[in-house]
Amino acid sequence: MNELIGRVFNFEKTVFPSSSELYGTLTRDGQSPKALMISCADSRIVPEEIMQARPGDLFVCRNAGNIVPPYASMLGGVSATVEYAVAALGVRDIIVCGHTDCGAMKALAYPEGLEAMPNVAAWLKHGSAAQTVVDTCQGHLEGDDRIRAMIYENVIAQLSNLRTHPSVARAMASGEMSLHGWVVDIHQGQVLGLDGQTGQFTTLRDNQPLPVAVPAQARYQMAEAAE
């Protein structure tokens, strides 16, 4: 803890003065983050570092398992963060970001010991779709391979849950919202993104198009075409 406190002093003495103009602008004009990232609370995953974000760039919500409960099933911090990011801040890109070696997915796959953590057990039920999909469609997987498959499926499941939130549904229907599903491979130092067209996760590369899970597209145009 003393080491962390020392870094606070370094922020006050070095970091803040060198970025005083930026902080002044954010104080005067408020925030306009470019994206909302919903990531795992795992201490090894730092969204701002992964995206090399500066203050004001990224709105972040972190929790165990990068979970987004379906709307109205558990109104709380995640729901409020999503609603505020979209309705108040005008965020138009949301990233659900999982990672390899995820303790939440390990606990979901092998729940022995969760008896002593009833709140964790209840929370992880929001990721049960990932377990069901893997066990049903990839039942041959075991051990680390099973957990890794659940990590990817959990990102897909949480993107589906995210679309039940009215603020997100409204923005998507208007063609103002894109959804992204990422997995950070902490062993390789790579980020993989879900391509909604192929259903596959591919490594993000600066010389290739960004894979997007659900690109922005106004749905009312399809309704007009049907008429």
Side-chain angles (χ1 to χ4, degrees):
M1 187 63 185
N2 288 336
E3 179 184 351
L4 294 177
I5 294 174
R7 296 177 191 175
V8 171
F9 296 147
N10 182 63
F11 170 80
E12 294 177 351
K13 296 177 181 178
T14 305
V15 177
F16 183 82
S18 65
S19 302
S20 58
E21 183 176 350
L22 171 61
Y23 282 106
T25 299
L26 292 172
T27 301
R28 183 184 66 251
D29 300 335
Q31 60 174 325
S32 298
K34 299 177 177 64
L36 164 63
M37 179 178 278
I38 302 170
S39 69
C40 188
D42 192 300
S43 62
R44 298 167 294 179
I45 302 300
V46 183
E48 293 85 353
E49 182 172 17
I50 292 168
M51 297 192 72
Q52 295 294 283
R54 303 179 71 197
D57 284 345
L58 199 60
F59 205 62
V60 178
C61 178
R62 301 181 66 176
N63 63 69
N66 43 274
I67 282 172
V68 183
Y71 186 75
S73 67
M74 181 181 287
L75 297 179
V78 178
S79 298
T81 299
V82 169
E83 186 173 79
Y84 185 79
V86 178
L89 298 180
V91 165
R92 291 298 176 255
D93 287 272
I94 302 180
I95 306 161
V96 175
C97 184
H99 66 96
T100 56
D101 198 39
C102 180
M105 292 301 102
K106 289 180 180 179
L108 185 61
Y110 303 103
E112 298 81 5
L114 283 181
E115 297 84 0
M117 295 180 283
N119 289 304
V120 174
W123 178 252
L124 292 181
K125 289 181 180 179
H126 294 295
S128 59
Q131 181 182 18
T132 299
V133 169
V134 172
D135 289 348
T136 302
C137 302
Q138 303 181 67
H140 62 285
L141 297 178
E142 297 180 354
D144 291 344
D145 290 336
R146 178 170 175 250
I147 294 170
R148 188 177 183 92
M150 286 177 58
I151 290 167
Y152 287 97
E153 288 296 339
N154 183 55
V155 169
I156 296 172
Q158 302 314 317
L159 285 171
S160 295
N161 289 346
L162 185 59
R163 298 180 72 170
T164 68
H165 290 247
S167 58
V168 175
R170 181 173 59 251
M172 293 186 67
S174 300
E176 300 173 345
M177 173 71 68
S178 295
L179 302 183
H180 309 265
W182 291 2
V183 171
V184 178
D185 189 325
I186 60 176
H187 304 88
Q188 301 295 328
Q190 297 178 337
V191 179
L192 296 92
L194 174 62
D195 185 326
Q197 292 187 331
T198 66
Q200 301 297 313
F201 283 83
T202 59
T203 305
L204 272 60
R205 293 286 183 244
D206 59 4
N207 60 348
Q208 297 178 6
L210 176 70
V212 179
V214 186
Q217 182 178 5
R219 192 164 64 243
Y220 68 83
Q221 293 178 347
M222 292 187 290
E224 291 176 353
E227 294 176 358

